[in-house]
Amino acid sequence: MRHLDPLFFSAELGGAPELDLHGSSVDVAIGQLDPFLHAHWHHREPIVKIIHGRGTGALRLAIHRWLKGQSRMVEEFRESTRLDEAGAVTYVAFHDTASINASNAHS
């Protein structure tokens, strides 16, 4: 497993592709999140930013629950540590698709 702290730190400084889901229902949010993550994973983006907002926390929890089921694609996810994003933003780091393809070729 690679050390992801620098990747998350860099993403918090800006530049990661983002999807703004705040205000969406859980069903709509997951319906948008799934193709967004797959597209960026297949294009070998290392990390993306998901904006879910604070609200009641239900959307954040549903997104985190869904992300836990995406272990083939998602290496790790964490909430932002920036004060202006705390509780409202989650960063998602992808597995390196090249290393996954190489390990599958040896299986």
Side-chain angles (χ1 to χ4, degrees), residues 33-90:
L33 182 59
D34 186 33
F36 174 80
L37 289 182
H38 277 88
H40 287 284
W41 181 55
H42 285 293
H43 286 99
R44 297 184 181 208
E45 290 284 346
I47 194 164
V48 294
K49 176 181 181 177
I50 308 301
I51 304 166
H52 42 70
R54 290 181 184 93
T56 65
L59 185 56
R60 177 183 55 82
L61 291 173
I63 289 170
H64 287 189
R65 192 174 314 115
W66 186 84
L67 289 169
K68 287 178 185 174
Q70 306 304 311
S71 60
R72 181 174 185 271
M73 174 174 53
V74 174
E75 184 168 352
E76 185 176 334
F77 63 91
R78 338 178 158 162
E79 290 191 47
S80 179
T81 59
R82 284 179 38 170
L83 291 178
D84 59 328
E85 294 181 344
V89 171
T90 297

